[in-house]
């Protein structure tokens, strides 16, 4: 008998997060993410952690930030409508540099939309949902097993860069069950926030040494009385009206992600070495793409898959590196063209970018992708 | 088994068709096969037709949705009517014997089995209908070994219900005649 | 001359505070510092300074978190109690004090207030209740009396006001009390009791806002407003002795409800213990 177990995507998010050291979850029930809250309610007390069902999503993200500030690895999970409600405090987390993971199991919108149907239409909201300019890291898994390992990475990035990380799932992966053989816990790489305790003379709780971007963190109740605020603040953590200090802070917040894109960005490429057509996709949408690419290859067509795993920042370098060999790009996503904008930006006028999207809550099939590819190849031949 | 075998399970809420789908997927995992299982959730799954799907394959399964299943279990008339047309050309349908197959549905692709009555009368608990169905499906299709299937059932039932579920599984298996199973397995290749 | 309290418990570098002349908030902040000081120095109590966390939201009240020299977190509008819930759950040994305003905790944050009260999470909420949105310049709040004027109620406020202490009591808060700026000594004592209470506690402290609420509604200057508090907010023991007639238009200050309900984080630790004993996945 195999050692694998049948596991749902949402369940893998719970188990992965626990393996990453998450011990605090605050959330509010919402389809299709509810199994994550249910799983945390059941599993966290067993691990000595805590689950709390808050009164709404505004409270959930606030409690998560509070718990993280007090020293715990913390997470919440939601879907579109709840993700919208959390946006203000996601910005707070970015500004106050409080690590946490926000899982958004995307469903079809806008508004209440189709609560049980898949979508990938929160892609831009993950980047621009909260007000103001701010750094964002977002990761998107395309299988149950990847959900487990990638959410660990989400925590690692949150802890390393002291920032909220969006874990952008979708209903396809969240509600799917697959056989998963979990990695040996001893083989996992788990990062923890850099801490600073009692460093005496240096009371600057947001002090960043020259050449670094991330301040070490002090938790509450460990002997140093410091201040956290969402207002623009100086290195001591107190509000400032100085445009110079505020500008420097905001630049550092952007820099800590932008200067580390090589570490943060991950893509999966399949059959890209000699590909003339790249099909770009992410999350659960990649499953149909993979099948289409295999089929196209079986027919001798030079098609490959380019899948950003880190969806924010968009893995610009990796796609640029492929541009010279490509004749065309097809963006496949379950929305009206969101990652498409990033792909178009990177491709510029160099290569034609076509689009296959879906906003009716159903899943794009491999046949549709193959048809679109045939249509594109025909068009480009004709030119 | 062919490369990719797709099963759809349909009924009304409370009949446990989702659990039947999950148990067969679990049996696939235990047997070292690839599987993807999914279902209709939330408001879609409250009342009316409830639907779940299991894909089993020796190959990696990429696309996770079922379009035209190889097999359909339907436990209400509404679900027979809704999903019978979606079956593959040579797809097999198992329906409760209280239900009517659509007119013209070929007899050789149809299994009419007293799933609900067996659960209620023979096993003694109506809620075991899904386990009866699981037993019958595996007897008919021969997808998994008996030990693997039993382990899969055990992983998904509450403690203390092992005995009644074992009886349900056996009762389901007994609903399929050996020659019937033979015929179906030949069809499946 | 600043008092010892200022030197001991306030962040001198960040003073003077930004509140308007005559504002009552400074008095409430001082009451909180005094209460903490007395508890830290009480040999019968086991409070240490490092275990206090001050959490605030947004508004005039919420700037107090930056002035008080403790672990402090100045959060988003309305969400202080929700942040505080996360902090308390993460580290139950901390004494988490929420400094909030009438708008912050009963309008935008009303949902968090009633649910924290219901759960009985061990937080102490001190409301700086000045009947107005001061930071944004004098809009009516959920405690502005009906008929009063505000920049968003130029013809008089149509809303009926909340009594925040009663609201919290109604939501099941195990400790609720009322204080005010005039009765500083009594209010300090009430705050001490609230901090010592094992469970959710709320003290609705009536502040004064001469700049916006007072001026708009012709309530006079800060001294006049304090005199009004002296005449109309009556310490509970005295209020008890007053006739129904004399009580007209007056409110008692002091403890309203005081019950021993199981505290949330205690219960959660028991739940963890029970879960681990069972050792079941």
């Amino acid at each position: 008998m195999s050692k694998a177990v049948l596991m749902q995507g949402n369940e893998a998010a719970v188990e992965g997060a626990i393996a990453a050291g998450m011990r605090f979850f605050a959330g509010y029930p919402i389809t299709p993410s509810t199994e994550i809250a249910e799983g945390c309610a059941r599993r966290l007390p067993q691990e000595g952690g805590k689950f709390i069902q808050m009164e709404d999503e505004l409270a959930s993200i606030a409690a998560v930030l509070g718990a993280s500030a007090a020293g715990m690895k913390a997470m919440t999970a939601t879907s579109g409508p709840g993700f919208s409600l959390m946006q203000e405090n996601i910005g707070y987390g970015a500004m106050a540099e409080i690590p946490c993971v926000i899982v958004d199991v995307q469903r079809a919108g806008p508004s209440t939309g189709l609560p049980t149907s898949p979508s990938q239409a929160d892609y831009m909201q993950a980047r621009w949902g909260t007000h103001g300019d701010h750094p964002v890291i977002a990761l998107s898994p395309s299988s149950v097993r990847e959900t487990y390992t990638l959410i660990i990475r989400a925590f690692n990035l949150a802890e390393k860069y002291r920032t909220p990380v969006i874990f952008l799932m979708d209903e396809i992966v969240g509600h799917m069950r697959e056989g998963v053989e979990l990695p040996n816990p001893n083989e996992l790489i788990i990062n923890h926030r850099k801490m600073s305790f009692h460093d005496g003379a240096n009371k600057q709780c947001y002090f960043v040494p020259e050449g670094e971007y991330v301040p070490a963190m002090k938790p509450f109740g460990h002997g140093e009385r410091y201040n956290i605020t969402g207002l623009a603040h100086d290195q001591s953590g107190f509000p400032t009206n100085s445009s110079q200090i505020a500008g420097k802070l905001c630049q550092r917040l952007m820099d800590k992600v932008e200067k580390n894109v090589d570490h943060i960005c991950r893509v999966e490429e399949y059959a890209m070495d000699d590909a003339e057509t790249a099909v770009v996709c992410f999350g659960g949408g990649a499953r149909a793409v993979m099948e289409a690419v295999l089929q196209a290859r079986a027919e001798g067509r030079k098609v490959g898959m380019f899948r950003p795993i880190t969806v924010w920042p968009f893995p610009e370098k990796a796609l640029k590196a492929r541009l010279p060999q490509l004749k065309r790009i097809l963006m496949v996503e379950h929305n009206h063209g969101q990652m498409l904008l990033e792909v178009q930006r990177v491709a510029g006028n160099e290569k034609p970018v076509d689009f296959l999207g879906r906003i009716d809550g159903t899943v794009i099939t491999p046949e549709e992708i193959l048809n679109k590819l045939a249509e594109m190849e025909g068009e480009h031949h004709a030119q | 088994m062919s490369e990719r075998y797709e099963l759809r399970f349909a009924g009304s809420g409370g009949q446990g068709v989702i659990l039947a789908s999950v148990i067969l997927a679990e049996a696939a995992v235990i047997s070292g096969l690839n599987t993807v299982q999914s279902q209709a959730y939330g408001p879609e799954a409250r009342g009316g037709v409830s639907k779940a799907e299991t894909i089993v394959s020796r190959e990696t399964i990429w696309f996770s949705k079922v379009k035209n299943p190889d097999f359909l279990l339907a436990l209400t008339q509404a679900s027979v009517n809704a999903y019978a047309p979606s079956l593959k050309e040579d797809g097999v349908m198992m329906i409760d014997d209280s239900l009517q197959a659509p007119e013209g549905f070929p007899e050789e692709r149809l299994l009419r089995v007293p799933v609900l009555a067996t659960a209620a009368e023979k096993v003694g608990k109506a809620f075991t209908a899904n386990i009866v169905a699981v037993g019958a499906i595996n007897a008919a299709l021969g997808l998994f070994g008996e030990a693997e299937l039993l382990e899969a059932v055990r992983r998904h039932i509450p403690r203390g219900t092992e005995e009644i579920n074992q009886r349900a599984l056996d009762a389901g298996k007994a609903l399929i005649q050996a020659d019937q199973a033979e015929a179906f397995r030949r069809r499946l290749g | 001359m600043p008092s010892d309290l200022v030197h001991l418990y306030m962040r001198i570098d960040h003073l003077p505070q930004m509140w308007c002349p005559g504002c009552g908030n400074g008095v409430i902040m001082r009451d909180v510092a005094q209460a903490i000081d007395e508890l830290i120095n009480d040999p019968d109590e086991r409070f240490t300074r490092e275990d206090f966390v001050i959490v605030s939201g947004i508004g005039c009240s919420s700037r107090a978190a930056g002035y008080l020299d403790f672990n402090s977190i100045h959060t988003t509008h309305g969400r202080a109690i929700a942040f505080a819930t996360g902090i308390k759950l993460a580290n139950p040994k901390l004494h988490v004090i929420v400094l909030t305003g009438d708008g912050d905790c009963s309008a935008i944050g009303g949902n968090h207030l009633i649910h924290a009260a219901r759960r009985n999470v061990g937080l102490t909420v001190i409301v700086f209740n000045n009947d107005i949105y001061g930071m944004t310049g004098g809009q009516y709040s959920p405690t502005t009396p009906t008929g009063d004027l505000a920049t968003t109620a130029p013809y008089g406020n149509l809303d009926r006001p909340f009594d925040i202490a009663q609201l919290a009591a109604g939501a099941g808060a195990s400790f609720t009390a009322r204080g005010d700026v005039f009765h500083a000594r009594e209010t300090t004592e009430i705050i001490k009791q609230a901090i010592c209470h094992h469970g959710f506690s709320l003290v609705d402290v009536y502040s004064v806002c001469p700049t916006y609420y007072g001026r708009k509604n012709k309530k006079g200057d800060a001294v006049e407003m304090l005199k009004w508090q002296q005449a109309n907010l009556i310490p509970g023991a005295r209020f008890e002795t007053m006739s129904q007639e004399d009580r007209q238009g007056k409110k008692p200050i002091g403890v309203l409800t005081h019950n021993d309900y199981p505290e949330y984080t205690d219960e959660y630790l028991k739940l963890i213990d029970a879960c681990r004993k069972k050792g079941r996945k």
Side-chain angles (χ1 to χ4, degrees):
Chain A
M1 286 192 189
S2 154
K3 268 196 277 176
V5 290
L6 187 71
M7 193 178 260
Q8 193 191 46
N10 282 343
E11 201 185 334
V14 173
E15 293 302 328
I18 288 173
M22 184 271 291
R23 290 295 179 272
F24 182 84
F25 181 98
Y28 187 80
I30 182 168
T31 305
S33 77
T34 305
E35 294 83 4
I36 299 179
E38 290 170 339
C40 288
R42 188 175 62 84
R43 290 281 290 115
L44 279 175
Q46 296 170 347
E47 303 292 334
K50 286 173 189 152
F51 162 90
I52 185 168
Q53 183 170 310
M54 296 300 284
E55 50 275 13
D56 55 30
E57 288 87 349
L58 304 155
S60 302
I61 179 74
V64 160
L65 292 168
S68 179
M72 265 190 172
K73 286 190 183 178
M75 169 171 105
T76 185
T78 187
S79 184
F83 192 49
S84 294
L85 288 177
M86 289 182 183
Q87 291 302 330
E88 184 193 11
N89 272 334
I90 293 175
Y92 184 93
M95 187 62 149
E97 299 182 76
I98 302 177
C100 66
V101 172
I102 299 122
V103 182
D104 174 17
V105 187
Q106 298 166 91
R107 71 188 217 188
S111 189
T112 312
L114 297 161
T116 59
S117 300
S119 160
Q120 299 182 299
D122 299 351
Y123 175 68
M124 279 294 174
Q125 191 185 16
R127 177 67 189 88
W128 302 109
T130 192
H131 60 280
D133 265 324
H134 54 281
V136 165
I137 299 173
L139 313 178
S140 187
S142 69
S143 71
V144 175
R145 190 177 194 283
E146 191 182 35
T147 299
Y148 182 92
T149 52
L150 195 60
I151 202 165
I152 295 173
R153 181 148 206 271
F155 274 95
N156 286 348
L157 293 173
E159 295 285 314
K160 184 174 168 70
Y161 297 110
R162 275 191 72 173
T163 189
V165 171
I166 313 292
F167 197 64
L168 203 59
M169 294 176 67
D170 49 53
E171 195 275 343
I172 301 171
V173 173
H175 272 173
M176 183 173 81
R177 287 185 180 84
E178 287 184 293
V180 179
E181 204 168 319
L182 296 180
N184 182 341
N186 301 325
E187 287 164 14
L188 298 171
I189 296 166
I190 308 291
N191 295 342
H192 301 281
R193 63 194 69 172
K194 198 166 138 195
M195 302 294 295
S196 104
F197 295 109
H198 305 290
D199 45 1
N202 177 27
K203 279 224 143 201
Q204 305 264 306
C205 61
Y206 285 95
F207 172 74
V208 183
E210 200 57 38
E212 288 184 30
Y213 297 103
V214 187
M217 197 162 168
K218 298 170 197 279
F220 284 134
H222 287 269
E224 274 164 296
R225 301 182 293 272
Y226 74 104
N227 189 52
I228 302 176
T229 179
L231 286 165
H233 48 271
D234 57 22
Q235 293 204 349
S236 72
F238 286 95
T240 176
N241 280 324
S242 153
S243 56
Q244 199 202 345
I245 295 171
K248 210 176 144 193
L249 166 66
C250 290
Q251 189 59 52
R252 179 176 63 75
L253 294 181
M254 299 306 291
D255 282 351
K256 72 179 179 182
V257 172
E258 286 173 2
K259 306 271 189 199
N260 288 297
V261 284
D262 291 342
H263 174 254
I264 295 167
C265 284
R266 292 271 191 283
V267 299
E268 184 197 4
E269 294 186 322
Y270 180 79
M272 282 299 294
D273 284 352
D274 62 342
E276 293 174 354
T277 303
V279 186
V280 183
C281 57
F282 67 102
R287 305 185 68 99
V289 170
M290 194 61 192
E291 194 138 326
V293 167
L294 287 169
Q295 181 65 34
R297 282 279 165 181
E299 292 163 12
R301 294 149 69 189
K302 292 187 171 176
V303 179
M305 178 182 78
F306 182 94
R307 175 173 74 94
I309 296 170
T310 305
V311 293
W312 290 114
F314 182 78
E316 187 169 332
K317 262 193 198 169
L319 184 59
K320 255 196 183 129
R322 289 293 179 194
L323 284 182
Q325 75 187 63
L326 294 175
K327 290 189 174 157
R328 62 193 78 84
I329 298 171
L330 173 62
M331 180 73 225
V332 177
E333 54 185 330
H334 293 82
N335 56 47
H336 204 52
Q338 296 193 9
M339 188 178 273
L340 173 68
L341 298 171
E342 285 297 293
V343 172
Q344 284 172 332
R345 179 177 67 77
V346 174
N349 293 324
E350 271 183 68
K351 300 291 148 98
V353 180
D354 221 319
F355 175 64
L356 178 61
R358 183 55 68 75
I359 52 172
D360 63 358
T362 61
V363 175
I364 298 169
T365 64
E367 292 71 32
E368 289 173 286
I369 298 165
L370 286 163
N371 290 341
K372 184 78 190 175
L373 286 169
E375 184 190 303
M376 285 165 67
E377 283 164 8
E379 263 176 35
H380 299 308
H381 277 302
Q383 276 166 4
Chain B
M1 190 199 317
S2 62
E3 231 170 57
R4 179 181 170 116
Y5 196 75
E6 301 186 344
L7 304 97
R8 175 170 285 160
F9 307 78
S12 67
Q15 286 182 323
V17 292
I18 292 177
L19 186 59
S21 163
V22 169
I23 287 172
L24 287 171
E26 187 79 71
V29 172
I30 295 167
S31 309
L33 295 164
N34 293 300
T35 186
V36 168
Q37 189 280 333
S38 62
Q39 59 268 301
Y41 260 92
E44 247 189 278
R46 309 260 179 278
V49 173
S50 159
K51 184 185 74 163
E53 294 163 353
T54 300
I55 306 170
V56 182
S57 176
R58 294 194 195 285
E59 310 293 324
T60 303
I61 300 165
W62 296 107
F63 187 55
S64 58
K65 298 285 168 180
V66 168
K67 211 163 122 196
N68 301 116
D70 300 273
F71 173 85
L72 169 67
L73 168 75
L75 294 181
T76 61
Q77 195 60 50
S79 56
V80 174
N81 301 346
Y83 296 114
S86 70
L87 271 167
K88 275 207 181 95
E89 238 169 60
D90 58 351
V92 173
M93 179 164 74
M94 179 186 285
I95 64 174
D96 188 70
D97 73 346
S98 61
L99 308 174
Q100 296 300 317
E103 224 177 78
F105 193 91
E107 275 299 317
E108 68 274 17
R109 289 167 46 206
L110 179 67
L111 276 164
R112 292 183 77 233
V113 181
V115 171
L116 303 176
T118 303
E121 291 153 24
K122 239 177 142 183
V123 186
K125 293 281 179 204
F127 68 75
T128 61
N130 54 349
I131 306 297
V132 172
V134 163
I137 291 167
N138 201 50
L141 305 180
L143 293 169
F144 313 112
E146 281 191 22
E148 284 80 1
L149 188 66
L150 185 61
E151 171 61 17
V153 170
R154 289 215 161 145
R155 285 186 190 180
H156 290 278
I157 55 168
R159 278 185 189 181
T161 64
E162 289 87 354
E163 195 266 324
I164 191 167
N165 280 301
Q166 170 86 63
R167 277 199 287 131
L169 201 60
D170 292 343
K173 188 181 148 196
L175 293 176
I176 305 297
Q177 314 295 330
D179 55 334
Q180 246 180 325
E182 190 67 23
F184 275 102
R185 285 179 210 180
R186 257 203 309 279
R187 291 188 55 80
L188 298 169
Chain C
M1 275 294 286
S3 72
D4 286 348
L5 274 182
V6 171
H7 287 292
L8 277 170
Y9 297 111
M10 299 195 191
R11 289 161 166 156
I12 306 279
D13 299 353
H14 299 278
L15 297 174
Q17 30 82 352
M18 48 78 76
W19 294 311
C20 307
C23 174
N25 288 358
V27 178
I28 306 174
M29 178 167 78
R30 186 199 173 282
D31 292 348
V32 171
Q34 177 86 49
I36 293 174
D37 179 63
E38 289 174 17
L39 289 173
I40 289 172
N41 292 308
D42 185 339
D44 294 335
E45 298 284 353
R46 285 199 198 152
F47 287 95
T48 65
R49 179 173 186 170
E50 308 309 335
D51 289 344
F52 282 94
V53 178
I54 309 287
V55 186
S56 71
I58 295 292
C60 293
S61 63
S62 297
R63 289 306 181 100
Y67 303 134
L68 287 167
D69 193 5
F70 295 92
N71 306 295
S72 60
I73 176 165
H74 174 230
T75 70
T76 46
H77 197 21
R79 316 297 163 218
I81 292 174
F83 271 81
T85 299
I87 293 168
K88 182 71 181 175
L89 261 74
N91 188 353
K93 86 173 168 86
L94 298 174
H95 306 293
V96 183
I97 299 182
V98 177
L99 305 183
T100 180
D102 39 315
D104 195 46
C105 87
S106 76
I108 188 165
N111 206 24
H112 312 313
L113 170 66
I114 59 174
H115 288 281
R118 171 177 68 80
R119 290 185 193 106
N120 202 32
V121 184
L123 313 172
T124 300
V125 177
I126 311 292
V127 187
F128 293 45
N129 184 351
N130 61 1
D131 297 341
I132 202 89
Y133 285 92
M135 187 71 90
T136 46
Q139 299 74 35
Y140 66 93
S141 86
T143 59
T144 306
T146 310
D148 277 6
L149 299 173
T151 60
T152 47
Y155 311 112
N157 178 26
L158 296 179
D159 288 16
R160 292 169 59 227
F162 268 146
D163 179 321
I164 294 176
Q166 278 180 0
L167 172 67
S174 52
F175 182 102
T176 58
R178 212 179 270 134
D180 70 326
V181 170
F182 178 81
H183 299 92
R185 186 59 243 172
E186 290 88 338
T187 300
T188 302
E189 279 305 317
I190 294 166
I191 292 173
K192 275 172 71 180
Q193 280 187 58
I195 294 172
C196 291
H197 173 69
H198 196 66
F200 182 90
S201 56
L202 175 138
V203 187
D204 184 10
V205 187
Y206 290 21
S207 187
V208 291
C209 173
T211 302
Y212 291 113
Y213 178 75
R215 194 180 297 162
K216 272 267 176 207
N217 291 289
K218 307 208 171 2
K219 300 285 183 188
D221 60 10
V223 176
E224 287 298 310
M225 292 180 82
L226 288 178
K227 280 185 178 161
W228 183 92
Q229 288 196 341
Q230 179 184 24
N232 295 288
L233 300 175
I234 314 295
R238 184 144 65 81
F239 191 82
E240 287 299 310
T241 66
M242 287 163 65
S243 67
Q244 284 299 330
E245 206 184 352
D246 287 348
R247 287 183 186 182
Q248 283 304 310
K250 296 180 170 55
K251 261 189 178 177
I253 61 163
V255 177
L256 297 183
T257 55
H258 193 175
N259 297 298
D260 280 323
Y261 300 140
E263 195 273 330
Y264 190 90
T265 57
D266 283 352
E267 294 305 297
Y268 210 102
L269 288 175
K270 286 185 208 159
L271 185 148
I272 289 174
D273 280 348
C275 247
R276 293 194 137 175
K277 271 190 196 126
K278 256 198 222 161
R280 207 171 69 184
K281 264 205 174 179

